[in-house]
Amino acid sequence: MKTKEIFQLIDELSQIKKIDKEIIKENLAFALEKAYLKEFPEANLKIEIDLEKEKIKMWEEKLVIDDSNESDMDDDREITLSDALKYSSSAKIGSEVKIPIEIDSLDRRVAVHVQQVFSQKISEQSNTVIYKNWHDKIGTNIRAKVENNSQRYIEVELGDTKGALLKQYQIPGEQIKIGGSYTFYIKDVKEQTKGWPIILSRNDVNLVKNLLIEFIPEIKDGTIEIKGIARVPGFKTKIAVKSNVEGVDPIGTCVGPNGSRVKEIIKLIGGEFVDIILWDEDPKQFLVNACAPESLIGVEITDDEESSDGLHKYVTLVVDDKSLAKVIGKNGMNIKLISKLTNWSIDVVEESIAIEDKINYELVGHLVPIKPSAKKEFFNVSLSKPKNNNNNKQRNVVKIDDDEEFVYMPTNHNTFEINDEDIESLINFTSAPKKEKEIDINLDLEEIYEKDKKNLTGPKHKKAKNKSKSDVDSDVNNLFEEFGDITENFLSENENDDLEDVGSDNLELDEE
């Protein structure tokens, strides 16, 4: 061990680890003492370290005895007078003499042990400093780069230290790339002696909550309040919001112009869906909002008598057989999210089962999902391969779900846009083979007759102009029957869950 190198190390550690030099000096003295006493456990060792003069003094103190007692001498604690005089001319029997130890000439085993103990002490001290500096940041988000990806955890560069993203705190199926920049939630800062003390998370629900506060100023200033948030990492996050200021649309504000705010949040959580719903103080209305676009027939709510706070409830949702699977969701994820959002135990049954089991439910069919004013949003929906209709004519079909298909389009179209400025459901596109015509399903037959008489009857029908109003009404009814029951309720019922299959760039908005 070279003294000069030791003091260079002290300077570097002080700068890099942000540890005071006096603390490093104390740890070095401890390491020297520990290592030396391991080899000479009975030695009476003394150590002095001078940072200014960059000097380290080590010595053993021994008792001077008469040379005649040399045979009974304790070599670790005693020294004969003749040997003591070699170190001090004033040595005498009964006094103590200092036997100097040269740092540079320490045995290799001692030097290695000094290094091990010193490194451990510095690591402990460094983690103590990190704990003090980072402890107040628990519960916040941080943007950082990934440095290494091991089997046990992912190392994240945090400037003066590193963070650890353990397996249990990663988003299922997410591919973390080395060198990539990600947003992490600081879950914990441990006061430990080794390893990375900062524990990060990508699957914590508070990661999304912090992003909402970051990207939506109205949440930060209290205009909009997050009443509940539930997350199944890698699948979907449901958020219940309310407005504290009259006239402010909480859902539209959170979504942002053309979905800009929510899209940015979705990007930062790996494409996970974000579903924003309107909170209501009426539990039944809130459940209706949370299950939209699916309709509920009835709701039974009972209090949990064992709940200490009296807030936990047992809920039974009664639905028709058509809505059962969608309310439950794939692998039960949708109802799991609603249960997390409300903190209630929720069961879903068909109406026939509810009647058979004599469930005392309250009808809620009169309650409709409360939706703020519609916002202008667009979604790109890919089309499936062309299929043949009953007339053996080729057509394109918008595939929304494996089991259902609707909204038919001419074969020359590959995508369409859903414009929800004035209506709350999809726009149905129909036309002759070479011409596209939009039909607003909310328009009544009178408006269709007045505006679109010529187009609806089709250019290839020469006698279309002579048709009566009742004939046109009949044509329109037949047209709707041909394309199936494409009603506003049907479309809104299927919109939210079915759009999940389209891709992560498509937002889910309960208000549509």
Side-chain angles (χ1 to χ4, degrees):
M1 294 180 67
K2 303 295 181 181
T3 303
K4 186 177 181 180
E5 294 174 358
I6 291 174
F7 283 99
Q8 286 178 349
L9 179 62
I10 291 174
D11 288 336
E12 291 173 3
L13 288 172
S14 179
Q15 292 176 10
I16 296 172
K17 300 289 187 179
K18 310 298 181 186
I19 305 174
D20 188 270
K21 286 186 179 182
E22 287 294 328
I23 296 175
I24 298 176
K25 182 185 78 172
E26 292 174 4
N27 289 326
L28 177 60
F30 176 84
L32 288 167
E33 181 179 9
K34 190 85 172 175
Y36 192 85
L37 292 179
K38 184 178 180 181
E39 296 296 321
F40 311 100
E42 300 298 324
N44 185 15
L45 182 67
K46 303 294 180 182
I47 300 173
E48 282 184 4
I49 301 176
D50 191 327
L51 293 175
E52 292 184 2
K53 296 179 180 180
E54 294 189 350
K55 289 185 177 181
I56 300 175
K57 291 182 179 180
M58 288 180 61
W59 68 88
E60 288 186 43
E61 289 187 352
K62 292 187 178 183
L63 181 65
V64 180
I65 63 172
D66 189 270
D67 288 4
S68 60
N69 296 326
E70 183 176 5
S71 57
D72 299 326
M73 181 179 65
D74 181 355
D75 292 335
D76 292 324
R77 295 281 185 166
E78 297 175 334
I79 188 172
T80 61
L81 178 60
S82 58
D83 288 336
L85 290 172
K86 297 176 183 177
Y87 301 103
S88 173
S89 57
S90 59
K92 58 182 180 180
I93 295 173
S95 65
E96 288 189 337
V97 66
K98 295 180 180 180
I99 312 299
I101 302 169
E102 294 296 330
I103 295 293
D104 295 348
S105 61
L106 278 176
D107 185 272
R108 183 179 176 279
R109 289 180 302 173
V110 177
V112 170
H113 195 62
V114 169
Q115 183 180 6
Q116 292 173 345
V117 175
F118 183 62
S119 297
Q120 181 180 345
K121 292 295 292 181
I122 290 300
S123 179
E124 292 175 6
Q125 192 61 48
S126 176
N127 283 355
T128 300
V129 172
I130 291 169
Y131 179 82
K132 291 179 180 178
N133 293 340
W134 285 81
H135 186 262
D136 292 340
K137 297 178 182 178
I138 293 176
T140 63
N141 288 358
I142 188 170
R143 186 81 175 171
K145 287 186 177 182
V146 171
E147 187 174 273
N148 188 32
N149 192 344
S150 66
Q151 291 184 347
R152 295 174 53 222
Y153 59 87
I154 293 172
E155 291 181 18
V156 180
E157 179 59 47
L158 297 178
D160 59 341
T161 184
K162 294 180 183 178
L165 180 65
L166 306 179
K167 288 288 185 183
Q168 61 264 39
Y169 300 135
Q170 297 174 24
I171 296 176
E174 183 179 35
Q175 299 297 318
I176 298 290
K177 297 180 181 179
I178 297 175
S181 184
Y182 298 86
T183 300
F184 300 93
Y185 176 74
I186 302 176
K187 192 172 185 68
D188 196 9
V189 179
K190 296 185 177 294
E191 196 169 10
Q192 58 191 34
T193 59
K194 59 182 180 179
W196 310 122
I198 301 176
I199 307 302
L200 304 175
S201 174
R202 286 275 294 158
N203 63 11
D204 198 287
V205 69
N206 290 303
L207 173 72
V208 181
K209 186 176 181 179
N210 290 342
L211 288 172
L212 289 166
I213 295 171
E214 178 184 350
F215 286 95
I216 305 171
E218 291 82 359
I219 291 179
K220 190 172 184 178
D221 65 21
T223 301
I224 294 173
E225 182 181 350
I226 299 174
K227 297 297 292 184
I229 183 167
R231 185 183 185 195
V232 176
F235 173 69
K236 185 191 287 186
T237 297
K238 270 188 181 286
I239 305 155
V241 296
K242 66 164 285 193
S243 173
N244 292 324
V245 177
E246 187 176 354
V248 175
D249 174 355
I251 295 178
T253 302
C254 290
V255 171
N258 293 325
S260 57
R261 290 177 172 179
V262 169
K263 281 181 181 177
E264 193 62 31
I265 293 171
I266 288 172
K267 268 186 206 174
L268 295 175
I269 56 176
E272 185 179 306
F273 289 104
V274 174
D275 195 3
I276 303 175
I277 64 175
L278 193 64
W279 179 84
D280 198 286
E281 61 182 7
D282 180 358
K284 295 185 291 296
Q285 180 66 67
F286 183 43
L287 287 166
V288 169
N289 295 348
C291 292
E294 302 308 314
S295 299
L296 302 182
I297 294 174
V299 174
E300 181 194 49
I301 302 176
T302 56
D303 293 328
D304 181 5
E305 296 179 357
E306 297 181 0
S307 176
S308 57
D309 55 11
L311 298 177
H312 190 268
K313 301 178 186 299
Y314 291 104
V315 178
T316 300
L317 304 180
V318 182
V319 299
D320 57 32
D321 57 353
K322 181 180 176 183
S323 301
L324 180 65
K326 292 185 180 294
V327 171
I328 295 174
K330 294 179 181 178
N331 299 320
M333 290 299 186
N334 191 56
I335 200 63
K336 180 180 180 181
L337 281 166
I338 297 173
S339 182
K340 279 185 174 184
L341 194 64
T342 58
N343 197 29
W344 300 336
S345 299
I346 301 179
D347 191 18
V348 186
V349 299
E350 296 178 355
E351 185 180 17
S352 58
I353 301 297
I355 295 172
E356 183 181 335
D357 292 347
K358 298 180 180 180
I359 296 174
N360 187 25
Y361 62 88
E362 182 178 346
L363 294 174
V364 294
H366 62 287
L367 299 177
V368 295
I370 298 176
K371 302 175 183 179
S373 59
K375 294 289 179 181
K376 186 176 182 181
E377 305 297 343
F378 295 90
F379 302 85
N380 288 324
V381 184
S382 299
L383 298 178
S384 67
K385 294 180 180 180
K387 291 187 177 181
N388 292 327
N389 59 16
N390 295 332
N391 298 323
N392 295 321
K393 293 181 181 180
Q394 196 176 56
R395 68 187 184 186
N396 280 339
V397 182
V398 177
K399 278 297 281 185
I400 302 297
D401 187 84
D402 290 339
D403 299 321
E404 299 183 25
E405 54 188 45
F406 56 88
V407 186
Y408 299 85
M409 293 177 57
T411 58
N412 61 328
H413 287 277
N414 293 322
T415 61
F416 72 93
E417 290 183 330
I418 304 167
N419 186 331
D420 194 20
E421 182 174 8
D422 300 314
I423 60 175
E424 295 182 355
S425 61
L426 301 172
I427 293 177
N428 187 22
F429 291 78
T430 61
S431 72
K434 293 186 178 180
K435 187 174 181 181
E436 176 185 4
K437 179 62 189 173
E438 299 180 0
I439 297 180
D440 187 332
I441 63 174
N442 279 343
L443 296 178
D444 57 28
L445 296 180
E446 180 71 21
E447 291 174 300
I448 293 175
Y449 174 78
E450 294 295 331
K451 292 182 179 181
D452 300 315
K453 178 179 178 182
K454 179 179 178 179
N455 290 326
L456 284 172
T457 56
K460 58 185 178 181
H461 298 292
K462 295 181 180 180
K463 296 183 180 180
K465 293 184 180 179
N466 297 324
K467 285 194 173 184
S468 66
K469 179 180 176 181
S470 60
D471 290 333
V472 175
D473 291 350
S474 177
D475 285 346
V476 173
N477 288 330
N478 291 335
L479 178 66
F480 274 39
E481 289 174 1
E482 177 186 354
F483 291 115
D485 184 18
I486 311 177
T487 64
E488 179 179 355
N489 289 336
F490 178 81
L491 295 174
S492 63
E493 284 173 1
N494 289 274
E495 177 186 356
N496 192 40
D497 285 345
D498 291 336
L499 282 175
E500 291 177 7
D501 295 330
V502 174
S504 61
D505 289 335
N506 300 317
L507 305 179
E508 296 182 325
L509 306 176
D510 275 86
E511 74 268 26
E512 298 178 2

